[in-house]
Amino acid sequence: MALFIILLFVVGYLSITLEHPLKLDKTVPALLMASVMWAFLAIGFHQGWFTVIDGYGSVFNIASGEIHQQEHGFESLLLHHLGKTAEILVFLIGAMTIVELIDLHRGFDVLKGMVKTTSKIKLLWITGIIGFLLSSVIDNLTATIVLISLLRKLIQNREERIWYVSLIIIAANAGGAWSPIGDVTTTMLWIAKKVTAVGLSEYIIVPAVICFVVPFALASRMKIFKGDIQIEIKNNEEEQKLLSSKTMLWVGLGAIVFVPIFKTLTHLPPYVGMMFSLAIVWLVSEYIHPEDHFDKSKKHLYSAQKALSRIEISSILFFLGILMAVAALESLVFGTIQGQEVGTLRYAAESISNAIPNMDVVIILLGVLSAVIDNVPLVAASMGMYTYEIDHSAWHFIAYSAGTGGSMLIIGSAAGVAAMGMEKIDFIWYLKKITWLAFAGFIAGAIAFLFIEHFVR
């Protein structure tokens, strides 16, 4: 019977992976998968078919012990997983709202004004560096969208522009991998106390830089990036900016960066710090004047309520579905290891370790797999599979591999999917022109990580 729940997960997972051929938003199968898995798990538990296990190793089975106590254990288990999932969702909602507030006040236009060069190679490196650094603060997806908007203003030729956009995907994913707030997967690992903000940055910053630099260095030698470009500078560019643009940009970015500091000072979960930061940015947005002689009738155009309406709630619900589906697998007892009952994911981890004894090879394969399959469920599964202590090198390597491996295919990361939609980049074109660059960066960074881990530290 346990195999049926695993089959539900596999079918749901395939439906998410085949989102584009099926023309079905991946949120639908994610929510269906989670709800049906938990429903079947609950029915099976009450019928005595299934045994469940919580994060502390406590096992519950309706056929053994006092029924009320076993039912209470199952309910507590469900609430525990919902609570851990809610921590991530509240964090993401707060971060998304701050980013949208910055965008409403045209704060990102300040960054666009910094690019003045006409050299193709200089423009490549400037946008790449901005993408790498910006993604570590506002996440790789948002950084990619911001830079695509910038490149649209600078490069009119689409055939040239998609080369820059594709390299930006690599830079943004590399930049997001070394920051606890740069990618959903690193945020998940940080909130789950698998890594610390300092440990993540310390261990991954060098491999991430190499993952970014190698593809850009190789691309710099390509013919497409030789010569100059014609940049049209609009006379009304300064007029398009608001009085509040710079203030909201620096207040917003500063508030997001403050979240890890807040956690360090208070030892509270990251979502509490994000709530505090959102409150500060929201407060500033209430009193700041975007224009001279600001009319209060326009206030709603720059309000937090407007920012909240622009958040992709479908993405939030997708994460809810994925994380709760993985939690169901983690909770279902599938077998025993050394006489101790363990959940499905832990059992799978032991099976993989027996088949491939080298953990480094397993994690590299996970990175390659993340180019095909969404890295969120991959990382969520790994969190349930392994029991390494906080800041163990395996967690850092998982963060690097899952975060940067997705660059190898245009559909392998949220940044890539966004770029594909905005610029209509062809899957095959990306595979032929960019995949080898992304792979070179990924492997170079992985080798650097392993060298530092095994020979330097």
Side-chain angles (χ1 to χ4, degrees):
M1 297 301 292
L3 291 175
F4 183 73
I5 290 185
I6 297 174
L7 180 63
L8 286 173
F9 183 80
V10 171
V11 171
Y13 209 113
L14 286 173
S15 300
I16 291 169
T17 305
L18 300 173
E19 174 189 16
H20 297 291
L22 293 175
K23 294 182 172 58
L24 178 67
D25 191 301
K26 61 185 178 181
T27 304
V28 176
L31 291 174
L32 274 174
M33 175 174 62
S35 55
V36 174
M37 284 176 69
W38 273 102
F40 196 80
L41 184 61
I43 293 170
F45 175 80
H46 285 90
Q47 294 295 324
W49 302 336
F50 301 137
T51 301
V52 297
I53 184 170
D54 65 14
Y56 303 101
S58 299
V59 176
F60 302 95
N61 188 301
I62 203 75
S64 61
E66 205 271 320
I67 293 179
H68 178 74
Q69 183 180 1
Q70 300 303 313
E71 288 183 337
H72 179 71
F74 184 89
E75 291 172 0
S76 298
L77 174 67
L78 178 57
L79 286 174
H80 168 76
H81 284 298
L82 179 61
K84 301 306 290 184
T85 300
E87 286 187 21
I88 297 173
L89 301 187
V90 170
F91 184 94
L92 292 175
I93 290 171
M96 288 178 174
T97 306
I98 291 175
V99 169
E100 290 296 345
L101 272 170
I102 296 173
D103 193 47
L104 281 176
H105 289 263
R106 301 176 196 166
F108 295 117
D109 286 353
V110 176
L111 298 178
K112 296 174 185 177
M114 295 180 180
V115 182
K116 302 294 184 182
T117 184
T118 58
S119 167
K120 287 185 177 181
I121 289 182
K122 285 184 179 179
L123 179 63
L124 174 67
W125 282 97
I126 289 172
T127 53
I129 291 170
I130 292 175
F132 182 84
L133 296 176
L134 193 61
S135 65
S136 67
V137 180
I138 64 171
D139 79 62
N140 46 15
L141 172 60
T142 308
T144 300
I145 294 172
V146 169
L147 284 166
I148 290 175
S149 300
L150 165 62
L151 289 169
R152 281 178 170 176
K153 291 188 176 183
L154 299 178
I155 305 174
Q156 303 303 313
N157 187 327
R158 179 186 171 276
E159 299 304 316
E160 289 186 351
R161 188 169 66 244
I162 59 175
W163 278 92
Y164 286 88
V165 170
S166 298
L167 269 296
I168 288 299
I169 294 170
I170 297 175
N173 286 336
W178 66 272
S179 165
I181 52 181
D183 187 272
V184 174
T185 53
T186 56
T187 300
M188 288 163 55
L189 290 166
W190 182 43
I191 290 177
K193 297 181 180 178
K194 304 299 184 183
V195 299
T196 62
V198 174
L200 186 70
S201 301
E202 178 187 352
Y203 278 77
I204 300 183
I205 182 65
V206 173
V209 169
I210 292 173
C211 180
F212 152 60
V213 169
V214 168
F216 273 68
L218 292 172
S220 296
R221 304 177 66 86
M222 298 172 71
K223 186 178 179 180
I224 190 71
F225 295 110
K226 301 297 182 183
D228 296 331
I229 55 173
Q230 296 293 328
I231 298 180
E232 295 182 6
I233 302 176
K234 297 181 179 179
N235 295 327
N236 63 342
E237 183 178 353
E238 290 298 323
E239 295 177 9
Q240 292 177 353
K241 295 178 184 177
L242 301 173
L243 296 176
S244 58
S245 294
K246 285 186 178 180
T247 302
M248 289 304 296
L249 174 67
W250 301 122
V251 170
L253 295 183
I256 295 175
V257 171
F258 180 71
V259 175
I261 300 173
F262 184 93
K263 182 183 185 301
T264 302
L265 293 175
T266 64
H267 303 287
L268 288 168
Y271 71 91
V272 181
M274 185 57 74
M275 288 167 58
F276 174 80
S277 292
L278 174 59
I280 295 300
V281 178
W282 193 326
L283 179 67
V284 172
S285 72
E286 288 289 312
Y287 293 100
I288 199 167
H289 285 187
E291 304 167 352
D292 285 323
H293 312 295
F294 183 60
D295 188 350
K296 289 185 178 180
S297 63
K298 293 183 179 180
K299 187 176 181 178
H300 69 282
L301 297 175
Y302 308 99
S303 67
Q305 286 82 1
K306 177 76 171 179
L308 285 165
S309 69
R310 293 172 51 166
I311 289 178
E312 287 191 35
I313 296 299
S314 63
S315 295
I316 298 296
L317 293 175
F318 168 71
F319 296 137
L320 171 64
I322 280 292
L323 294 174
M324 289 303 292
V326 171
L329 279 185
E330 185 181 345
S331 303
L332 173 65
V333 171
F334 189 79
T336 59
I337 296 175
Q338 297 177 347
Q340 181 182 1
E341 291 182 301
V342 296
T344 306
L345 295 180
R346 177 72 190 286
Y347 191 87
E350 293 293 334
S351 301
I352 293 172
S353 296
N354 292 332
I356 309 175
N358 191 313
M359 189 62 186
D360 293 333
V361 174
V362 172
I363 297 175
I364 289 175
L365 290 176
L366 183 147
V368 174
L369 194 60
S370 70
V372 182
I373 301 173
D374 196 288
N375 58 2
V376 171
L378 282 178
V379 172
S382 70
M383 287 163 55
M385 292 167 70
Y386 304 110
T387 56
Y388 299 114
E389 68 274 13
I390 189 171
D391 269 340
H392 189 280
S393 61
W395 293 125
H396 296 136
F397 201 19
I398 287 172
Y400 168 81
S401 294
T404 61
S407 301
M408 286 184 274
L409 291 179
I410 188 71
I411 61 169
S413 65
V417 172
M420 185 182 190
M422 293 178 71
E423 289 294 331
K424 302 296 185 289
I425 300 175
D426 183 68
F427 177 89
I428 301 300
W429 181 90
Y430 189 96
L431 183 66
K432 290 180 178 178
K433 306 290 187 180
I434 307 298
T435 294
W436 73 275
L437 291 170
F439 179 75
F442 171 73
I443 289 298
I447 292 172
F449 181 94
L450 295 175
F451 178 80
I452 294 170
E453 177 59 32
H454 294 298
F455 298 104
V456 178
R457 296 188 186 280

